Amino acid sequence: MNKIRYIAILLLMLAGGLHPATATAAENGEVDVNHLVFGHIGDAYEWHIATLGDTELKIPLPVIVHSSTGWHVFSSSRLEEGAYEGLSVAAEGPYEGKIVEHAADGTEVRPLDISITKNVLGLMINSAVLLAILLGCTRWYRKHPASEQAPGGAVGMMEAIVMTIHEDVIKSCVGPDYRRYAPYLLTAFFFVLINNLMGLLPVFPGGANVTGNIAVTLVLALFTFFFTNVFGTKEYWKEILWPDVPVWLKCPVPMMPVIELFGIFTKPFALMIRLFANIMAGHAAILSLLAIIFITVKAGPAVNGSMTFVAVAFGIFMDALEVLVAFIQAYVFTMLSAVFIGMSRVKHEH
């Protein structure tokens, strides 16, 4: 069982979920589960890759902030020994884990922070991977006319996925105007899918919790909000501002219009929370299961041995389940976006 425990420690360290400061404590059953879980799913100013003995493999990322003394651009490695240029990483409080500057009275002030963090770098890498895949498919189609040869392998798989989303989701949910929204919806599907799958990889360049970051899902939801309401038909806005209900529900108290206007914002909010919560919960569940191994060390070899077996078995099961969830969440986000856009394209029926 000790071998399994050491393997679990190694996997956690490779995934960036267990840093060297907690590796020794893990072997002794003194793991801070909150730090273990939220240290992985949270953002950081460096990308921890692995620890080999006393050597810590990590990538320091560029810090770009604007404080009261102007712009500061430097490597995050400068902050390892403490404050640098009046800036430091808050150890606790509302800004825990974020760069702050200290005011004259000692209070921590949050400067404008546009640093390249772990999630930002992960977003760039995942976008580059997606672009490389799509350009590879484009190159194949340029060399092989579709009328002469059917694609196979990875290109054939991509074509099958594109046709499925295009025909079964976009075309059927949006309606006659589906062509103008197909580029966005297909992009959203593959963007969410690639980021979900890359987040499951235990080693660099995977492991970044991009779609488990609410800022990313917020931007995706805002895009759907924009396409839904800016390009909505007159009939769509009429049903919101003056719905087909009894007059007393609209005047003098605009009860139904207020409810409908409220619904405009709840739809993208549900998109944002659904994707964020599902992806974050998956990462947290896997790390929490593996943490059971170290929590039960002091309970004795019998309890720890049995819980080690259970935790590793369920961890493998959860990893396999998260691959399925990665596809499901990308599909659900695209389908709901298509449904909301389709609802905004309603036209008057004579």
Side-chain angles (χ1 to χ4, degrees):
M1 289 299 176
N2 286 334
K3 292 182 179 180
I4 298 178
R5 188 184 306 129
Y6 293 145
I7 291 172
I9 292 175
L10 177 61
L11 289 174
L12 282 171
M13 292 175 70
L14 287 174
L18 189 65
H19 290 265
T22 57
T24 304
E27 296 181 14
N28 299 325
E30 301 174 355
V31 173
D32 184 350
V33 178
N34 287 334
H35 181 269
L36 173 67
V37 174
F38 291 101
H40 170 72
I41 64 179
D43 207 355
Y45 292 97
E46 62 182 20
W47 194 316
H48 180 268
I49 299 176
T51 302
L52 303 175
D54 296 330
T55 304
E56 188 176 351
L57 300 180
K58 59 184 178 181
I59 301 175
L61 302 174
V63 173
I64 308 171
V65 296
H66 184 270
S67 67
S68 58
T69 57
W71 285 99
H72 302 268
V73 181
F74 54 89
S75 171
S76 61
S77 60
R78 300 280 190 176
L79 299 171
E80 291 181 359
E81 299 180 357
Y84 181 77
E85 295 185 356
L87 303 169
S88 62
V89 178
E92 56 184 12
Y95 303 132
E96 181 179 358
K98 302 297 183 182
I99 290 180
V100 296
E101 64 173 325
H102 297 274
D105 57 357
T107 59
E108 295 179 342
V109 180
R110 186 89 166 93
L112 174 64
D113 190 351
I114 56 173
S115 304
I116 306 298
T117 61
K118 178 182 177 180
N119 283 343
V120 174
L121 180 59
L123 185 61
M124 294 177 178
I125 293 174
N126 298 346
S127 299
V129 170
L130 176 58
L131 187 61
I133 293 173
L134 296 179
L135 290 178
C137 294
T138 303
R139 188 179 302 109
W140 188 93
Y141 281 107
R142 286 179 177 175
K143 296 180 178 179
H144 305 83
S147 59
E148 298 179 2
Q149 182 180 355
V155 179
M157 181 185 68
M158 286 292 295
E159 181 178 310
I161 295 175
V162 169
M163 292 304 297
T164 299
I165 300 301
H166 186 269
E167 297 295 325
D168 298 341
V169 177
I170 300 174
K171 188 175 181 179
S172 60
C173 293
V174 175
D177 296 333
Y178 73 94
R179 292 184 182 275
R180 65 190 302 185
Y181 301 103
Y184 161 66
L185 293 171
L186 283 170
T187 302
F189 172 80
F190 284 107
F191 176 83
V192 174
L193 178 61
I194 289 296
N195 281 281
N196 288 352
L197 293 176
M198 290 291 289
L200 298 177
L201 295 179
V203 293
F204 181 83
N209 187 33
V210 176
T211 42
N213 188 314
I214 198 167
V216 176
T217 60
L218 170 63
V219 173
L220 289 171
L222 287 176
F223 275 112
T224 298
F225 176 81
F226 174 81
F227 284 110
T228 300
N229 296 286
V230 172
F231 300 107
T233 61
K234 293 180 179 180
E235 189 66 23
Y236 165 74
W237 284 107
K238 177 182 176 300
E239 291 181 358
I240 292 176
L241 301 176
W242 195 257
D244 188 15
V245 295
V247 177
W248 61 274
L249 291 175
K250 299 178 289 186
C251 185
V253 179
M255 182 184 302
M256 288 306 298
V258 169
I259 294 175
E260 292 292 339
L261 284 171
F262 184 71
I264 291 177
F265 300 96
T266 57
K267 292 183 179 71
F269 181 79
L271 278 178
M272 174 186 70
I273 296 298
R274 181 190 299 273
L275 180 58
F276 157 73
N278 279 281
I279 301 304
M280 184 189 69
H283 286 251
I286 294 173
L287 291 169
S288 299
L289 283 170
L290 293 179
I292 294 175
I293 300 172
F294 315 116
I295 295 173
T296 58
V297 167
K298 293 184 177 180
V303 175
N304 182 239
S306 59
M307 293 308 298
T308 296
F309 176 79
V310 171
V312 172
F314 272 94
I316 294 173
F317 171 76
M318 285 298 298
D319 271 327
L321 183 63
E322 282 301 302
V323 175
L324 178 62
V325 171
F327 283 90
I328 292 176
Q329 290 305 315
Y331 182 89
V332 169
F333 183 91
T334 308
M335 181 187 66
L336 290 178
S337 295
V339 169
F340 297 154
I341 291 173
M343 293 170 62
S344 71
R345 301 303 301 166
V346 63
K347 295 181 181 180
H348 180 71
E349 296 182 1
H350 296 283

